[in-house]
Amino acid sequence: RKEVEQDPGPFNVPEGATVAFNCTYSNSASQSFFWYRQDCRKEPKLLMSVYSSGNEDGRFTAQLNRASQYISLLIRDSKLSDSATYLCVVNAFSSNTGKLIFGQGTTLQVKP
Amino acid sequence: DAGITQSPRHKVTETGTPVTLRCHQTENHRYMYWYRQDPGHGLRLIHYSYGVKDTDKGEVSDGYSVSRSKTEDFLLTLESATSSQTSVYFCAISNTDRGDNQPQHFGDGTRLSIL
């Protein structure tokens, strides 16, 4: 089983749609969770951290379910500019090395 | 954006030649990482550093070496490049001294082709 698993998609949605991505992780001891965004042929960029209580940043909402070991990202009112690959990221539980485990990403294509 | 510069941005070289990629940061972060990204594999950690002269292996370290002689520079060397090392290489930094829950920030990447 992969340490971080995501549905690769692609998710094809019309502008204005709401879309949700889920991600599961295998290590119950993981403490830090993030969503990154990666545009084609670009570097990954931090979209948002994921907190236990859930958190929102504009149109983006992240949720964490520790009991089921999954993380979700909800995008409301999708824009064309949201088209990208979204990476689910979990810390590798080790002696404070800051190592992260990256999912392979979910591709979103927002169409006019 | 985090002050991370990778060089070169693109390189084409031949099998068997040595290649060195450079990552330079201006954030004074202790932790630096080298990844490669390939279709179907996502980002995979090659080596990382937790301080000057302190480095450790990642999951795909065979065929690669690293050096960190200054806080700001982390070098990745392919001693004898092979075609399987054709990839996009990303450097990342994190401020992990503030706690283990810090994200990483990435450089623009180096596209390396080994012919």
Side-chain angles (χ1 to χ4, degrees), chain A residues 4-12 19-24 35-38 71 73 75 82-88 103-109:
Chain A
V4 178
E5 293 203 64
Q6 297 181 249
D7 180 347
F11 285 62
N12 295 301
V19 61
F21 308 135
N22 290 325
C23 160
T24 57
W35 282 102
Y36 279 70
R37 171 196 169 124
Q38 186 171 24
I71 308 153
L73 177 68
I75 305 175
D82 293 334
S83 297
T85 297
Y86 291 84
L87 306 175
C88 174
Q104 290 194 35
T106 298
T107 300
L108 172 66
Q109 184 67 44

Side-chain angles (χ1 to χ4, degrees), chain B:
Chain B
D1 288 346
I4 310 167
T5 305
Q6 289 186 234
S7 59
R9 293 293 312 280
H10 303 270
K11 186 172 182 67
V12 180
T13 191
E14 294 184 347
T15 300
T17 59
V19 178
T20 295
L21 308 183
R22 180 183 184 233
C23 179
H24 178 80
Q25 58 139 334
T26 58
E27 305 296 318
N28 201 35
H29 287 349
R30 190 155 69 101
Y31 286 78
M32 299 184 74
Y33 311 83
W34 275 109
Y35 293 88
R36 60 178 290 175
Q37 187 173 36
D38 305 286
H41 290 281
L43 280 159
R44 292 182 292 174
L45 182 66
I46 305 171
H47 282 279
Y48 68 100
S49 170
Y50 46 98
V52 173
K53 292 185 171 30
D54 291 323
T55 65
D56 204 351
K57 296 179 180 180
E59 62 179 305
V60 290
S61 58
D62 287 350
Y64 301 94
S65 62
V66 290
S67 66
R68 183 120 178 251
S69 58
K70 298 184 290 185
T71 298
E72 56 265 36
D73 289 326
F74 192 30
L75 304 181
L76 177 70
T77 297
L78 291 64
E79 301 289 350
S80 178
T82 67
S83 59
S84 64
Q85 293 175 311
T86 292
S87 187
V88 180
Y89 291 85
F90 288 105
C91 173
I93 65 174
S94 78
N95 199 8
T96 302
D97 281 341
R98 293 177 57 190
D100 202 28
N101 59 343
Q102 298 301 308
Q104 293 176 12
H105 299 280
F106 287 80
D108 291 342
T110 295
R111 295 188 175 276
L112 179 62
S113 295
I114 315 293
L115 305 179

Side-chain angles (χ1 to χ4, degrees), chain A residues 82-99:
Chain A
D82 293 334
S83 297
T85 297
Y86 291 84
L87 306 175
C88 174
V89 184
V90 176
N91 78 299
F93 189 70
S94 53
S95 55
N96 202 30
T97 62
K99 288 164 65 176

Side-chain angles (χ1 to χ4, degrees), chain A residues 42 75 79 91 102:
Chain A
K42 298 284 191 179
I75 305 175
K79 312 291 186 190
N91 78 299
F102 288 79

